[in-house]
């Protein structure tokens, strides 16, 4: 039953549980419970059918059995009480939560319980939101799989029963007051749950909620940020909280701005620091957590300047890649420091010829692309586009003309294909009409 992943220390491993005699015994007990007349009525089953053995029921019994196995009575009672506490935390019931934290202290803050939601039950899809599902155990207030996918598509391998620490549950439920109270108990704000998420992850993915609820989430996020939330921690889907405000969750721009307002300065400083040290992984992590590629230090040296100055070629390549994705590579390559040097000049100054040639090549490519797109967007279509007169006869003009020619021939081919298709469609419609008439006349013949 040992789980190798250290981050998943509190998860329930149901895969190796089938050989465990105690798990099998508890499952049998639960089956007996399910076959009682009262449960049968709730599951809308006839007594003659016997106990339900659908996938959802089997998985629920296994999940409960694995959690209960090898525990003495006192531990079981504590687990049940703490599970209830996490559920209450999601619903925003602060009195019940505070009582439990005072009773169990650190164990209560660390406990991952619930479940807050249950994913993937065939029966639930037929039920309305406010019906209780007796097959998987979903309560009316729990989210459905559909809702969950809408907000967190990135967790493709999320567990079926989602259990969270109490802070995460309160944050996801969006209750500011409760989060504030829990944080006062010396709770670790950067604790990771079984999906690798910190509490901030659960707050930032709520772009799909109503405007009033969004405000609540934003103030909760501010509270977490002020309490020292680390925005650079990726979850098991390799997403930082700020990445979740853009994709795959619904866009939540206000949340993005809220995080940047608090963390931008420190992230930028760290990015420049790691660029100096040449630590590519950490530098890119800062960028993904919200650091700006175009930021400058006191000499207005951008991350690209700094990594070129110290000759970190791998880092330079990764920065170029990131700039391309953000579609701002040209402006990054043309950024000037206080003494008027671009990254290319800096590379020459410090004698890094290979880096200089890489930068030069990238810049040429970008200038070319920029030119072509500007000419074609200038109100003219690609077919009629011509290179500007001031570029005629220059090397750049020659390259731009070549690119344009390629695009024009591609577009001409497309137009030809379109016309051909239109002609075919016209022919088709002419040929179809007589057929219909023929059919009608033949029908008439039969009737007559
Ligand atoms: Zn069932
Ligand atoms: Zn269900």
């Amino acid at each position: 039953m040992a789980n190798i992943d250290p981050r998943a220390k509190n998860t329930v491993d149901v895969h190796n549980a089938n050989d465990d005699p105690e798990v099998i015994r508890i499952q049998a007990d639960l089956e007996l419970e399910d076959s009682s007349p009262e449960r049968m009525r709730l599951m809308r089953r006839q007594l003659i059918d016997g106990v339900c053995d659908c996938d959802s029921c089997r998985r629920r019994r296994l999940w409960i059995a694995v959690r209960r196995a090898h525990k003495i009575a006192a531990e079981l009672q504590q687990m049940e009480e703490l599970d209830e506490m996490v559920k209450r935390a999601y619903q925003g019931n602060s009195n019940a939560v505070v009582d439990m934290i005072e009773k169990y202290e650190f164990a209560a803050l660390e406990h991952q319980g619930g479940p807050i939601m249950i994913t993937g039950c065939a029966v639930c899809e037929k039920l309305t939101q406010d019906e209780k599902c007796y097959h998987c155990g979903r309560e009316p207030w729990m989210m459905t799989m559909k809702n969950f996918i809408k907000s967190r598509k990135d967790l493709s391998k999320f567990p079926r029963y989602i259990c969270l620490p109490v802070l995460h549950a309160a944050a996801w439920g969006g209750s500011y007051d409760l989060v504030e109270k829990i944080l006062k108990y010396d709770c670790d704000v950067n604790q990771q749950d079984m999906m690798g998420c910190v509490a901030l992850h659960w707050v930032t993915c709520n772009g799909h909620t109503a405007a009033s609820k969004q405000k609540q989430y934003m103030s909760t996020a501010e509270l977490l940020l002020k309490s020292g939330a680390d925005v650079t921690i990726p979850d098991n889907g390799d997403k930082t909280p700020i990445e979740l405000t853009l994709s795959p969750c619904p866009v939540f721009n206000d949340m993005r701005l809220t995080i940047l307002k608090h963390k931008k300065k420190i992230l930028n400083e760290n990015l420049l620091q790691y660029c100096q040290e040449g630590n590519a992984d950490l530098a890119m992590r800062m960028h993904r957590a919200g650091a700006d590629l175009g930021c400058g230090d006191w000499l207005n040296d951008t991350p690209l300047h700094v990594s070129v100055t110290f000759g970190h070629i791998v880092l330079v390549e990764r920065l170029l890649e990131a700039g391309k994705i953000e579609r701002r590579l040209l402006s990054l390559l043309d950024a000037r420091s206080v003494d008027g040097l671009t990254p290319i000049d800096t590379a020459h100054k410090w004698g890094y010829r290979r880096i200089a040639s890489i930068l030069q090549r990238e810049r040429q490519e970008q200038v070319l692309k920029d030119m072509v797109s500007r000419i074609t967007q200038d109100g003219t279509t690609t077919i009629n586009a011509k290179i500007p007169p001031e570029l005629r006869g220059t090397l750049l003009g020659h390259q731009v003309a070549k690119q344009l020619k390629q695009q024009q021939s591609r577009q001409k081919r497309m137009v030809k294909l379109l016309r051909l298709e239109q002609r075919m469609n016209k022919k088709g419609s002419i040929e179809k009409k007589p057929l219909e008439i023929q059919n009608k006349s033949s029908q008439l013949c039969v009737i007559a």
Side-chain angles (χ1 to χ4, degrees), residues 12 100 120 402:
V12 176
M100 278 298 129
K402 206 169 151 192

Side-chain angles (χ1 to χ4, degrees), residues 102-310:
E102 303 229 306
K103 186 173 172 189
Y104 290 110
E105 293 174 348
F106 189 64
L109 296 175
E110 222 196 12
H111 179 80
Q112 300 206 21
I116 298 298
M117 74 161 303
I118 296 162
T119 61
C121 164
V123 184
C124 276
E125 281 170 19
K126 292 170 207 145
L127 297 174
T128 59
Q129 268 278 8
D130 36 61
E131 263 180 289
K132 189 171 172 167
C133 176
Y134 282 94
H135 293 261
C136 62
R138 185 177 69 87
E139 305 272 340
W141 52 268
M142 283 183 190
M143 294 172 93
T144 65
M145 175 95 150
K146 232 189 211 166
N147 284 338
F148 186 66
I149 299 264
K150 200 169 157 192
S151 53
R152 296 297 304 270
K153 284 191 208 89
D154 59 321
L155 296 169
S156 51
K157 276 190 180 171
F158 46 78
R160 187 177 156 81
Y161 286 81
I162 293 188
C163 291
L164 297 176
V166 65
L167 177 69
H168 293 53
W172 196 19
S175 46
Y176 177 92
D177 296 337
L178 183 53
V179 171
E180 197 177 23
K181 275 181 194 162
I182 295 172
L183 284 173
K184 274 186 190 146
Y185 284 96
D186 208 16
C187 179
D188 177 14
V189 73
N190 293 320
Q191 185 188 353
Q192 285 177 287
D193 61 24
M194 60 173 82
M195 286 156 281
C197 302
V198 295
L200 197 59
H201 276 105
W202 289 109
V203 183
T204 48
C205 62
N206 288 297
H208 63 290
T209 45
S212 59
K213 193 99 197 206
Q214 283 190 0
K215 264 187 198 148
Q216 221 169 311
Y217 281 122
M218 262 144 60
S219 51
T220 310
E222 278 196 321
L223 180 62
L224 290 169
L225 289 165
K226 278 179 198 159
S227 315
D230 186 349
V231 291
T232 65
I233 298 176
D235 64 9
N236 291 357
D238 205 28
K239 295 267 178 188
T240 59
I242 204 159
E243 284 178 294
L244 288 185
T245 61
L246 289 180
S247 79
C249 312
V251 176
F252 196 174
N253 264 332
D254 291 344
M255 179 64 85
R256 191 179 168 78
L257 294 176
T258 305
I259 296 177
L260 285 179
K261 194 174 91 193
H262 283 265
K263 294 284 176 180
K264 195 172 180 179
K265 199 168 163 237
I266 183 88
L267 284 171
N268 287 349
E269 280 170 13
N270 284 344
L271 173 62
L272 288 163
Q273 178 67 32
Y274 290 131
C275 282
Q276 190 177 337
E277 290 167 12
N279 193 332
D281 287 335
L282 279 179
M284 293 327 285
R285 199 166 134 188
M286 291 305 130
H287 167 54
R288 283 177 41 208
D292 183 10
L293 288 178
C295 67
D297 63 4
W298 61 290
L299 287 173
N300 213 16
D301 279 336
T302 65
L304 205 51
H305 279 101
V306 176
S307 40
V308 168
T309 306
F310 290 90

Side-chain angles (χ1 to χ4, degrees), residues 371-380:
M371 274 289 171
V372 173
S373 70
R374 223 180 307 159
I375 293 169
T376 50
Q377 274 170 13
D378 222 23
T380 51

